[in-house]
Amino acid sequence: MFFDRRYKRKTKWYARYFEDSRDNQLCGEIAPTYFDKPNVPERVHKAAPDCDVIISLRHPAERAFSLFLHHLRKGRVPQDFWRAVERKPRIISAGHYATHIPRWRSVFGDDQVHLLLLNDIKSDPQAVLLRISDWLDVEFMEASTGTNEKVNAASMPRFPWLARGAALLTTTLHKYGLHRVVGFGKKLGLKKLAYTGGEDDTPELSPNDREQLIRMYDEDIAFVEELTGRDLAHWWE
């Protein structure tokens, strides 16, 4: 989260995360918080103008609901979806692909910005890895056996107040660079204690709410269809 939340620490601080890399080794970052921040593409370009940017896309409505569940699990938003959106509008705005993708392309150019669909990763991870290998001009990689296993699947906490406090504490520790303390807590099982254990009452969208949410992204879906040449009418089913 350097280029959005910790940019004031300067690139010398950020470079320490890669100090153990080998000579001529390509380095990168998986950064889900960068995509929709207006000033991030320019910051990344200033640090690494020749880098490749790979954007992984899921249906924007599915993305919005997943982000809602993420914040709900952390105790940050109410359980009603639309009330949660009022508290955190980014749940919706982060999925406006027709706004955010052109920003990255305008800074890096079309050749350096690559799009992947999450559905393709699920259906044929080996083919996706082959495409990534070609983009980065690196040796072909084999997909691991657990590629399609769910990671960080959303579940409801037993005690929302504990989840809310744990999320705040984790954010504060990361802010001051105490990443190892957070990692140690995870090893002790504190993350599981704080964020799981509740009843199986994960909320679902009603059919009407689901349709309303999808309609909000008509322009964005059409934009991705035009860029990829894919028919995405059944993107989220």
Side-chain angles (χ1 to χ4, degrees):
M1 299 180 180
F2 169 68
F3 289 101
D4 59 344
R5 300 185 185 179
R6 300 182 178 91
Y7 193 63
K8 291 182 179 180
R9 298 193 177 191
K10 308 298 182 182
T11 51
K12 185 176 180 180
W13 174 86
Y14 179 60
R16 291 187 303 170
Y17 285 95
F18 307 102
E19 60 187 10
D20 294 330
S21 59
R22 302 183 302 274
D23 290 342
N24 300 319
Q25 178 182 358
L26 292 182
C27 297
E29 180 182 5
I30 298 175
T33 63
Y34 289 171
F35 173 64
D36 60 311
K37 288 298 186 73
N39 54 354
V40 166
E42 287 82 3
R43 290 175 175 180
V44 176
H45 187 269
K46 183 178 180 180
D50 298 324
C51 76
D52 284 271
V53 178
I54 300 174
I55 302 175
S56 175
L57 302 175
R58 66 198 303 184
H59 191 295
E62 182 184 15
R63 174 192 176 113
F65 188 66
S66 177
L67 186 55
F68 157 67
L69 292 179
H70 168 76
H71 287 306
L72 181 63
R73 183 169 176 256
K74 301 289 187 180
R76 298 167 178 160
V77 297
Q79 194 160 353
D80 178 79
F81 176 78
W82 299 111
R83 287 180 59 206
V85 169
E86 290 178 0
R87 182 170 298 181
K88 288 193 174 292
R90 197 177 178 189
I91 291 174
I92 297 293
S93 64
H96 285 314
Y97 298 152
T99 298
H100 306 311
I101 294 176
R103 184 186 303 123
W104 286 92
R105 287 161 64 98
S106 68
V107 174
F108 284 94
D110 298 352
D111 292 339
Q112 287 177 238
V113 178
H114 314 286
L115 304 181
L116 292 176
L117 299 186
L118 180 62
N119 293 33
D120 293 340
I121 299 175
K122 291 179 178 180
S123 63
D124 196 345
Q126 193 62 72
V128 172
L129 274 176
L130 178 59
R131 292 170 61 193
I132 294 175
S133 300
D134 287 340
W135 291 335
L136 301 182
D137 193 23
V138 297
E139 185 178 346
F140 176 67
M141 296 174 283
E142 292 285 345
S144 65
T145 55
T147 299
N148 285 323
E149 293 179 3
K150 281 192 174 183
V151 178
N152 294 330
S155 59
M156 295 299 104
R158 179 179 299 175
F159 305 110
W161 59 268
L162 179 60
R164 187 162 50 249
L168 179 60
L169 176 61
T170 299
T171 300
T172 302
L173 291 173
H174 279 307
K175 178 180 179 180
Y176 291 102
L178 301 175
H179 313 299
R180 292 185 179 181
V181 176
V182 177
F184 182 68
K186 290 180 180 179
K187 289 182 179 180
L188 292 178
L190 299 182
K191 179 178 180 180
K192 184 176 181 180
L193 175 65
Y195 298 130
T196 62
E199 298 294 328
D200 186 18
D201 57 353
T202 302
E204 296 181 357
L205 290 174
S206 69
N208 287 338
D209 284 344
R210 189 178 189 274
E211 183 65 21
Q212 179 182 349
L213 182 59
I214 291 174
R215 293 280 73 82
M216 295 176 71
Y217 292 112
D218 282 346
E219 179 182 350
D220 303 288
I221 295 172
F223 178 78
V224 176
E225 286 182 326
E226 182 177 354
L227 283 184
T228 61
R230 305 273 293 271
D231 179 2
L232 301 176
H234 304 288
W235 196 0
W236 185 24
E237 292 185 331

